[in-house]
Amino acid sequence: MEPRLKKKWLIYSSIGPAAKVDRWMRPDMGADIAVCRYHAESPAVEFARYSAVNPSVKFPNFFFMLEKFPAMADYDYFLWADDDIEISTEDVIGFMQRVEAHGLDMAQPSLSEGSDVSWPHLIHKPDRGLEPTIFVEIQFFAFSKRLFDAARSVFQSGYSGFGMDVATSRLIEKHQFNAAIDHSIMMYH
């Protein structure tokens, strides 16, 4: 599949030994890849543009990498992915294309039945397409540079991501950012 992304994307994941990113992350996705390995036995991603090792978690690892690679902030869109998400490469590319096409500031694919879900509105609803929302869960989420700039201090104060979904929903409301759940894509978590 030839990706047709018009914007500059960075896909980021903090990965451990049981990471599943090798099931969907590819060098020809039309996006740059950044991975931070948080364990000595974490798999290497040879084609990552940015790579580091730091024994922490998602948010601190991103900002650890950002200090090493300031260019990581110079993207139009970001996709932050937990390392245990199950999704196809084609669905990731399709998701990024829809985020761009609809000018979304934040979005996530819907979750399949059987996923570990805290918020019922995230469960896949095949008849919905893009469902506007002010709330996405911080597990596999895309966001614009505009949202990153507004949320940077919030993200920097985060550790595991717990509570970040609530904090970003307040920013979405305050700044009237466009956010959606993409029910045309389904992932397992």
Side-chain angles (χ1 to χ4, degrees), residues 158-169:
Y159 183 70
S160 68
F162 183 79
M164 285 296 136
D165 35 26
V166 174
T168 56
S169 71

Side-chain angles (χ1 to χ4, degrees), residues 44-113:
V45 178
E46 301 300 332
F47 53 83
R49 181 177 184 124
Y50 309 102
S51 183
V53 177
N54 193 49
S56 193
V57 293
K58 181 177 8 188
F59 285 86
N61 278 345
F62 180 82
F63 288 99
F64 169 81
M65 290 186 71
L66 192 56
E67 282 185 30
K68 287 182 69 147
F69 309 109
M72 283 177 48
D74 299 333
Y75 285 82
D76 301 313
Y77 280 100
F78 302 86
L79 174 62
W80 284 10
D82 283 2
D83 66 349
D84 58 345
I85 296 291
E86 294 182 27
I87 190 168
S88 72
T89 304
E90 294 74 20
D91 281 347
V92 174
I93 294 167
F95 172 63
M96 293 188 301
Q97 290 169 334
R98 271 186 292 292
V99 168
E100 277 187 12
H102 293 277
L104 297 174
D105 291 298
M106 185 173 258
Q108 82 162 71
S110 62
L111 289 158
S112 65
E113 291 287 337

Side-chain angles (χ1 to χ4, degrees), residues 11-33:
I11 299 173
Y12 161 73
S13 189
S14 183
I15 61 174
K20 297 177 181 176
V21 296
D22 62 327
R23 297 180 185 179
W24 60 267
M25 200 178 273
R26 303 277 181 267
D28 58 350
M29 295 177 72
D32 288 337
I33 306 291

Side-chain angles (χ1 to χ4, degrees), residues 109-130:
S110 62
L111 289 158
S112 65
E113 291 287 337
S115 289
D116 185 18
V117 178
S118 300
W119 308 98
H121 76 284
L122 303 176
I123 295 287
H124 183 65
K125 297 169 191 78
D127 61 330
R128 297 274 175 95
L130 282 176

